[in-house]
Amino acid sequence: MKRTFSTREIVLGVTGSIAAYKACEIASRLVEFGACVTPVLTRSARELVGPATFEAITGRRAVTAMFERLQDPEIEHIAVAQRANLFLIAPATANILAKAAHGIADDWLSTSLLATRAPVLFAPAMNANMYAHPATQANIETLRRRGCWFVGPDVGRLACGTEGVGRMAEPLAIIEAAAPLVSTRRDLAGKRVLITSGGCREPIDPVRFLGNRSSGKMGRALALEALVRGAGVTVVSGPAAVALPHGVEVVPVETASEMAEATVPRAAEADVVVAAAAVADYRVDKPAAEKRKRSGQPLTLNLTENPDVLAAISANRHQGQVIAGFAAETADLLENARVKLDKKKLDLVVANKVGAPDSGFDSHNVAACIIDNMGNVEDLGIVSKEIVAEQLFDRIAARLA
Ligand code: CTP
């Protein structure tokens, strides 16, 4: 995220929804990632949160009124609109959506929205009926057609005490949706990236399964990195502990056979395939139709080998396609990874150590090495899964170029 947001100019427009307090966290994260944030608070937003908080977080003067400090170049609206790399409106009320859709310019924020040529991302937050109202939906449609971006709203508890669609997306999800819009690394623009992620559940009976410890965190980091670099991203995902980022096409699967069925045909359309899923090597021969009962005897399950998804994809690879896999190993890391690189005819393999407390499935970090089919080996050390994704896509993009 630091690589993406560093020194990027972001106007954070805060409008008068109860979710306005969450904009403080958005500002704080953006600043943490190195962005230069100009906070803008509408009159209604100022009834809910104060400019001093945003000024302390961003180190910049908060814009609160159109004609106040008109001479200050730091907040003069045309200058700010022109230097912005992104206008992020979070929370966005029904009112600002209506004004933006109709070109009404009656305060600093709405005026600057007309003046800017930067991408505009709205994170709507309002009562469910207001969101569902045909007027709001028509305004959103108009703005979408005009090239504006949206993240959320989510379903959940709303400030008015009801449940429904209208809750602002979570701050981190908003920042992730903003990342591709401010990224200067667009080396996968126009490319289709297919990722397998998560684990597998092979049924034993209707209530039990054989599974593995995959969290889906690596697949998630890969998907976000590919999005940020401009790719269209599809993730075929087995069960995972983390949700995939906004903007990804997700194909949910449970078993290895379902993963093969979903992935192999889609791979034909992909420029890049990265297999990060922990695919179950075996499935239970004949899963019981009814829940198994205790018999007082040891239980033997017959297992049948599953298809190798990645090997099937590389057997059908097309010219120019880049294919990468992972080798999760507890021992003989490099040796085992090289065998997989050769056997599955991969361009790149990430060898990662699993089973240690600070590296592997549930962990945020991983001990990783990237090996390519030209004999290069690069030890990344113990790094975050985000860094592994960045490093892997650096190499993939170089091959595509
Ligand atoms: N893989 C796959 N389909 C399988 C097994 C693995 O697509 N049935 C992919 C994984 O997503 C990963 C790579 O192949 O990118 C290596 O997976 P791994 O589980 O480490 O190795 P296996 O091939 O299963 O070999 P082994 O279990 O013997 O180590």
Side-chain angles (χ1 to χ4, degrees):
M1 283 294 188
K2 285 201 171 131
R3 200 169 160 192
T4 303
F5 281 100
S6 175
T7 71
R8 306 302 277 157
E9 280 290 340
I10 298 176
V11 173
L12 175 61
V14 184
T15 67
S17 148
I18 300 296
Y21 74 94
K22 291 190 189 167
C24 301
E25 191 186 339
I26 298 173
S28 165
R29 292 275 192 146
L30 288 172
V31 169
E32 180 193 334
F33 296 146
C36 308
V37 180
T38 302
V40 181
L41 278 71
T42 62
R43 193 162 48 82
S44 318
R46 293 201 308 280
E47 300 289 328
L48 300 157
V49 277
T53 311
F54 286 93
E55 291 181 346
I57 292 171
T58 63
R60 283 195 174 177
R61 191 173 285 176
V63 183
T64 52
M66 184 75 192
F67 298 107
E68 183 191 6
R69 307 154 172 166
L70 191 61
Q71 302 313 316
D72 186 343
E74 201 187 314
I75 59 167
E76 194 280 312
H77 73 280
I78 301 291
V80 175
Q82 279 172 357
R83 74 164 185 242
N85 299 119
L86 174 71
F87 266 66
L88 168 57
I89 317 301
T93 56
N95 188 46
I96 191 70
L97 297 177
K99 289 206 284 185
H102 295 278
I104 294 171
D106 64 354
D107 63 3
W108 195 101
L109 186 59
S110 52
T111 307
S112 308
L113 280 171
L114 283 183
T116 191
R117 292 293 169 264
V120 180
L121 173 63
F122 291 101
M126 66 196 77
N127 160 274
N129 287 347
M130 290 172 74
Y131 182 68
H133 196 286
T136 305
Q137 289 302 312
N139 290 334
I140 290 173
E141 189 44 41
T142 301
L143 291 166
R144 269 193 209 282
R145 258 190 284 112
R146 230 178 257 155
C148 294
W149 300 85
F150 284 82
V151 51
D154 294 343
V155 180
R157 192 175 54 80
L158 304 175
C160 51
T162 58
E163 288 264 335
V165 186
R167 197 178 155 81
M168 188 172 79
E170 288 306 314
L172 199 55
I174 293 172
I175 289 171
E176 286 178 355
L181 305 178
V182 297
S183 172
T184 50
R185 279 173 298 139
R186 303 292 291 173
D187 46 12
L188 295 180
K191 302 291 181 196
R192 295 252 16 126
V193 173
L194 177 65
I195 295 167
T196 69
S197 178
C200 282
R201 288 181 176 177
E202 299 295 341
I204 295 172
D205 66 20
V207 295
R208 304 180 182 92
F209 57 82
L210 297 177
N212 58 50
R213 290 178 182 276
S214 172
S215 64
K217 287 181 186 167
M218 190 67 243
R220 184 185 203 286
L222 290 163
L224 187 59
E225 181 65 19
L227 274 182
V228 165
R229 298 171 96 122
V233 183
T234 301
V235 180
V236 176
S237 176
V242 292
L244 284 154
H246 177 87
V248 168
E249 184 202 6
V250 183
V251 184
V253 295
E254 289 247 322
T255 65
S257 303
E258 287 170 14
M259 186 163 279
E261 261 170 55
T263 311
V264 176
R266 285 181 171 83
E269 309 295 318
D271 301 291
V272 176
V273 179
V274 183
V279 187
D281 287 327
Y282 292 91
R283 65 177 175 276
V284 177
D285 231 353
K286 289 190 184 74
E290 304 297 336
K291 185 182 168 201
R292 279 180 178 274
K293 296 289 173 198
R294 256 172 206 275
S295 65
Q297 297 295 317
L299 171 67
T300 304
L301 293 172
N302 284 320
L303 304 180
T304 303
E305 202 167 286
N306 274 325
D308 188 319
V309 184
L310 187 53
I313 289 168
S314 60
N316 292 313
R317 72 155 67 217
H318 58 74
Q319 179 85 30
Q321 192 174 37
V322 180
I323 303 179
F326 280 73
E329 307 293 343
T330 54
D332 302 325
L333 188 62
L334 294 185
E335 219 174 289
N336 280 323
R338 274 200 200 95
V339 169
K340 285 175 190 171
L341 180 88
D342 290 341
K343 222 168 92 184
K344 304 194 192 211
K345 299 189 175 53
L346 307 177
D347 295 290
L348 295 143
V349 69
V350 181
N352 63 292
K353 186 119 180 90
V354 291
D358 59 347
S359 169
F361 285 134
D362 256 335
S363 161
H364 182 64
N365 290 332
V366 68
C369 256
I370 300 184
I371 307 174
D372 71 17
N373 58 355
M374 296 185 297
N376 301 308
V377 179
E378 200 158 338
D379 188 352
L380 305 182
I382 295 183
V383 287
S384 69
K385 291 179 178 176
E386 285 70 29
I387 297 287
V388 174
E390 258 183 42
Q391 293 289 323
L392 182 63
F393 275 112
D394 277 353
R395 287 158 184 77
I396 289 173
R399 282 182 178 236
L400 286 171

